[in-house]
Amino acid sequence: MQSLARIAVVTAVLLAQAAYAPAQDADKDKEKEKEPRRPQLSLRATPTTGMVPVRVSATAEFKGGDDNFQEYYCPSVEWNWGDGTVSESSSDCEPYEAGKSQIRRRYIASHSYNRSGAFRISFRLKNRDKVLTSSSAVVRLLGGGF
């Protein structure tokens, strides 16, 4: 009789665990859905090679992820042109509103080079002094120059 009671208790516990597990999995799935998806940054410079003097245009672009990714909303931007020149900018934005505010997905800047060499162009998305994400590209420039 005791062994039948034990079997019944074990069976009841196993059934309760089986019923609880799908609910737990559903909760985890909902949490994953709520987590914002981080956009991926790429940087492209054109031309990648050229004769100096030359003006290079750089495009930083976010692909994928959520349009309302809060961490990337209203950042400051830093372009390091690899020749000792750094350009920075920031925007004056409305306060972030979940579900309404959208990130900027494309940043474009250009820079003139007057001397030859290989230059690493870096783009940094920042919040105050904290770098949120960055990307770089290399241009190779030929010719005389000063």
Side-chain angles (χ1 to χ4, degrees):
M1 200 64 144
Q2 284 181 344
S3 58
L4 283 177
R6 282 188 192 150
I7 292 173
V9 168
V10 169
T11 303
V13 168
L14 290 175
L15 288 173
Q17 286 176 342
Y20 180 70
Q24 251 186 338
D25 290 342
D27 289 343
K28 286 180 184 175
D29 289 342
K30 285 180 186 176
E31 284 177 26
K32 284 182 183 176
E33 287 174 16
K34 290 179 189 175
E35 287 181 21
R37 293 176 306 126
R38 179 180 302 271
Q40 298 301 307
L41 176 63
S42 66
L43 180 64
R44 184 179 71 247
T46 54
T48 56
T49 60
M51 297 292 289
V52 294
V54 65
R55 187 164 195 81
V56 173
S57 179
T59 303
E61 190 168 14
F62 287 100
K63 299 206 182 215
D66 293 332
D67 284 335
N68 63 345
F69 190 73
Q70 184 174 1
E71 190 175 354
Y72 291 175
Y73 178 71
C74 202
S76 60
V77 169
E78 178 185 284
W79 295 93
N80 184 323
W81 298 101
D83 65 351
T85 306
V86 176
S87 308
E88 294 187 60
S89 66
S90 60
S91 301
D92 187 20
C93 305
E94 295 294 320
Y96 178 83
E97 290 183 52
K100 184 178 177 185
S101 299
Q102 292 194 353
I103 64 170
R104 184 172 166 187
R105 290 212 169 249
R106 181 176 289 162
Y107 297 84
I108 300 172
S110 61
H111 181 70
S112 293
Y113 291 90
N114 294 313
R115 60 185 168 95
S116 60
F119 302 95
R120 179 174 297 280
I121 301 170
S122 298
F123 173 85
R124 291 180 173 178
L125 195 73
K126 298 165 64 175
N127 183 345
R128 295 189 179 98
D129 290 332
K130 179 184 176 193
V131 175
L132 304 173
T133 188
S134 64
S135 188
S136 63
V138 174
V139 294
R140 288 176 175 73
L141 307 175
L142 304 172
F146 26 109

